Amino acid sequence: TSAHFSETIRRDFPIIHDCIYLDSAAISLSPEPVVNAVVEFEHRYRSNVGRGIHRFTQIASQRYWHAHEKVARFIGGEEGTTVFTKNTTESINMVAHGLSWKPGDRVITTILEHHSNLLPWRALAEEGVELSVIGIRPDYSLDLKSLEEEIKKGARLAAITHASNAIGVVTPVKEIAKICRRYNTLLLIDAAQSIPHMPVNVGDIGCDFCCFSGHKMLAPTGTGVLWMREPIIEPMMLGGGMIEEVHRDGFVPIEGYQKYEAGTPNISGGIGLGVAVDYLNTIGMEQVRCYEEGLTTQLIKSLSQIEGVTVFAPTDSSYRIGVVSFSIKGLHPHEVAERLDHEYDILVRSGHHCCQPLMESLGLPNGTVRASLALYTTETEIDLLAAAVQEITRSL
Ligand code: PMP
């Protein structure tokens, strides 16, 4: 049952018992096995990776590179095709900087994007790259027709979110990939909000790049991933750890994906990311998806029934994740978030959620209040949020 589901899981998240945490879209909590893996690295074998032969570096290197394989398998990628980064933002910037652009190249993106999947593309304008931004329909779904029309005109790359961190809508990335293939357009998906909440298979989707953050999928902060079908980009950073040989007059980079990780990486974080993947695999992403879908429906339903509350969420439960934006008439979103925190111990996000163009296009210059859940959220917590919101609206 769903109560049993979260009860066993919640034991692994001690921080959860101090408050009601509904800000998992910003950063998820980490379960004990992940925290322990980081502590074990510090206590037992702290060392650098791939730069020596002593026993500590052997353990660290083996675990750090094994984590890459776990992540690759988790998203249906082939061995050796994942690069560890700092976060989604870095992964996207690496692609934007790593492709060589010509004047007249075009990039397609959407109004749903997080600033991190907009600004790196907008910056290419200086090299003569054009940017087209696709809009959404009243039900928040992407306008696929205009997407295809834009791609048909000729586009080098489409950079599209898989799930919105502001209004929770899921985009049909598989259909988008088919369109992209038809016109020879590369597809990058921003999977920061989908990977932690549903099964994602890059092979099945048919994208070329997949970017996401470890810290939103139970892993330590400072971890992110760039998956690439082929290592077709130039490395953004040069230095140690990415070369075969270096001479006075030149260098030969390592073949494959390791050339994208110059410098000492976040070793314990990467190992922790591998453990986070183990943790999610033990539960099963189908299970996670199913459990969270139920909670999301409950949350949308109870908030929608409250007078004075407007919910901004897709109606189709198979095209939304547990990110629910809403507003209370007469209150600034920040005031709502502050009252929820101070009076009810409920932690939510408020504002534009790094999606200011989207908020403006929806006529919400102050943004929204956003409750976002994860596998450790319970039905009781959803009920308590709804009750608190109801009380706040009555007090106005
Ligand atoms: N894209 C989406 C959809 C996100 O939700 C986020 C994080 N809010 C990002 C990109 C940026 O992620 P990070 O801050 O980890 O780089």
Side-chain angles (χ1 to χ4, degrees), residues 11 15 20 28 32 34 64 67 82 101 130 137 143 150 152 190 218 245 262 269 292 329 348 353 358 366 377:
R11 285 192 214 118
I15 195 175
I20 294 176
S28 68
E32 286 298 271
V34 171
Y64 181 69
T82 46
W101 300 96
E130 287 168 39
R137 292 181 286 223
D143 187 348
E150 284 299 317
K152 213 174 182 172
D190 173 352
L218 316 183
E245 45 187 278
E292 293 183 6
K329 202 172 165 201
V348 296
H353 319 297
L358 173 65
N366 293 335
T377 307

Side-chain angles (χ1 to χ4, degrees), residues 25-26 87-90 92 114 116 161 163-165 190 192-193 213 215-216 370:
N87 48 39
T88 306
T89 306
E90 186 174 65
I92 296 171
H114 188 280
S116 291
T161 192
S164 160
N165 66 303
D190 173 352
Q193 297 294 344
S213 296
H215 65 86
K216 294 183 199 287
R370 180 188 76 181

Side-chain angles (χ1 to χ4, degrees), residues 61-368:
S61 304
Q62 194 267 336
R63 292 195 186 173
Y64 181 69
W65 291 108
H66 187 211
H68 286 63
E69 301 322 327
K70 289 184 196 178
V71 174
R73 230 173 293 137
F74 184 64
I75 59 167
E78 297 198 358
E79 200 171 302
T81 54
T82 46
V83 178
F84 280 7
T85 62
K86 194 165 64 180
N87 48 39
T88 306
T89 306
E90 186 174 65
S91 302
I92 296 171
N93 274 276
M94 281 168 68
V95 179
H97 285 268
L99 291 168
S100 54
W101 300 96
K102 301 181 297 297
D105 278 347
R106 240 154 50 86
V107 172
I108 314 283
T109 186
T110 83
I111 192 72
L112 288 172
E113 306 309 317
H114 188 280
H115 297 159
S116 291
N117 199 25
L118 178 62
L119 300 185
W121 310 115
R122 196 173 274 166
L124 296 174
E126 282 167 30
E127 288 162 62
V129 174
E130 287 168 39
L131 185 66
S132 305
V133 181
I134 307 299
I136 50 173
R137 292 181 286 223
D139 66 353
Y140 307 114
S141 65
L142 262 191
D143 187 348
L144 279 194
K145 237 183 155 163
S146 51
L147 179 77
E148 175 149 15
E149 274 162 24
E150 284 299 317
I151 290 180
K152 213 174 182 172
K153 286 188 211 159
R156 178 101 185 273
L157 178 133
I160 296 178
T161 192
H162 189 191
S164 160
N165 66 303
I167 49 175
V169 67
V170 172
T171 61
V173 279
K174 207 169 159 174
E175 272 177 66
I176 295 170
K178 269 194 207 130
I179 299 172
C180 285
R181 266 204 303 276
R182 208 174 298 146
Y183 300 101
N184 219 2
T185 299
L186 292 167
L187 174 62
L188 174 149
I189 61 167
D190 173 352
Q193 297 294 344
S194 56
I195 302 260
H197 305 289
M198 61 177 73
V200 172
N201 185 308
V202 287
D204 186 42
I205 291 169
C207 54
D208 299 282
F209 304 98
C210 179
C211 306
F212 53 103
S213 296
H215 65 86
K216 294 183 199 287
M217 53 185 287
L218 316 183
T221 61
T223 60
V225 179
L226 168 59
W227 171 85
M228 283 181 275
R229 179 177 303 287
E230 305 283 346
I232 57 170
I233 63 173
E234 287 299 318
M236 187 164 76
M237 307 256 278
L238 305 177
M242 53 82 66
I243 44 85
E244 204 67 68
E245 45 187 278
V246 183
H247 307 286
R248 253 170 91 134
D249 303 325
F251 73 97
V252 181
I254 289 177
E255 277 295 307
Y257 293 73
Q258 212 178 319
K259 69 167 171 271
Y260 302 109
E261 290 191 35
T264 300
N266 178 354
I267 304 166
S268 62
I271 293 169
L273 174 55
V275 176
V277 165
D278 293 339
Y279 191 90
L280 289 169
N281 276 331
T282 307
I283 297 163
M285 291 312 292
E286 289 287 355
Q287 276 267 86
V288 169
R289 172 70 180 146
C290 180
Y291 176 69
E292 293 183 6
E293 222 178 299
L295 284 186
T296 307
T297 301
Q298 182 200 345
L299 177 56
I300 292 171
K301 200 169 153 211
S302 29
L303 288 176
S304 306
Q305 284 164 353
I306 303 169
E307 217 185 301
V309 171
T310 311
V311 179
F312 309 95
T315 43
D316 183 344
S317 72
S318 53
Y319 275 94
R320 67 185 181 212
I321 51 162
V323 167
V324 179
S325 259
F326 64 97
S327 65
I328 297 180
K329 202 172 165 201
L331 273 188
H332 192 285
H334 290 329
E335 287 177 274
V336 178
E338 195 171 79
R339 288 190 61 178
L340 285 171
D341 179 10
H342 293 177
E343 297 168 32
Y344 302 93
D345 297 323
I346 298 175
L347 313 187
V348 296
R349 177 86 181 261
S350 54
H352 52 59
H353 319 297
C354 299
C355 292
Q356 215 169 348
L358 173 65
M359 291 293 134
E360 280 170 1
S361 80
L362 294 173
L364 300 163
N366 293 335
T368 63

